[in-house]
Amino acid sequence: MRGAGGTSGGIGRFFIGLVMMVAGGYLFFNAINVTQQFSLGYAIYTYRSFRLTSGMTLIPFIFGIGFIFYDYKNVIGWLLAAASLIMLGFGIISSLEFELRNMSAFELIMILVLLVGGIGLFLSSFKSYV
């Protein structure tokens, strides 16, 4: 009987590594707090002293929607609407902040051992042992 990936690496190593990897990944991502500071007055792009706020990106969007409703074949309207939505999306994503919650060194070491050890076992199950 062949193991994981058609090699003789072992199905046991595959499943143990998979369970460890999933458990470590879950605990790691569960320990991350995500906060944001997005508002319509928040500067999403800054060039020297010029600040482009997220509310300012809605102005070309409004004009673009107006052009689209006037003539749906108007390329400028579609470009204005799409560009401002893309800028708004990047602004929202760039305003996110990630931080690890407070935890003991033991908790962090256990999470990393589960995650990295699981990845190692999982990948070693694809290796052929002859």
Side-chain angles (χ1 to χ4, degrees):
M1 182 171 150
R2 305 296 287 176
T7 65
S8 61
I11 296 221
R13 294 175 77 92
F14 176 82
F15 284 114
I16 292 172
L18 183 66
V19 167
M20 286 176 61
M21 189 171 49
V22 168
Y26 171 76
L27 291 172
F28 181 71
F29 286 119
N30 194 35
I32 295 176
N33 292 327
V34 180
T35 58
Q36 58 90 22
Q37 299 180 20
F38 187 78
S39 68
L40 291 178
Y42 180 73
I44 54 176
Y45 302 105
T46 305
Y47 180 72
R48 295 188 185 181
S49 64
F50 178 74
R51 294 175 26 147
L52 179 65
T53 65
S54 54
M56 293 167 80
T57 61
L58 292 177
I59 295 170
F61 178 73
I62 292 169
F63 281 108
I65 294 298
F67 288 155
I68 291 170
F69 272 89
Y70 180 73
D71 180 16
Y72 73 94
K73 293 181 181 179
N74 190 342
V75 176
I76 294 173
W78 286 103
L79 287 175
L80 282 173
S84 62
L85 284 178
I86 289 170
M87 289 173 60
L88 195 61
F90 278 120
I92 290 171
I93 291 171
S94 66
S95 71
L96 294 177
E97 295 179 4
F98 298 96
E99 60 186 28
L100 279 174
R101 68 172 171 81
N102 291 336
M103 66 177 82
S104 67
F106 178 75
E107 289 174 316
L108 181 61
I109 289 171
M110 290 306 295
I111 289 172
L112 293 176
V113 165
L114 279 173
L115 182 62
V116 178
I119 291 171
L121 274 177
F122 180 78
L123 292 177
S124 74
S125 69
F126 294 108
K127 187 174 160 186
S128 181
Y129 293 101
V130 178

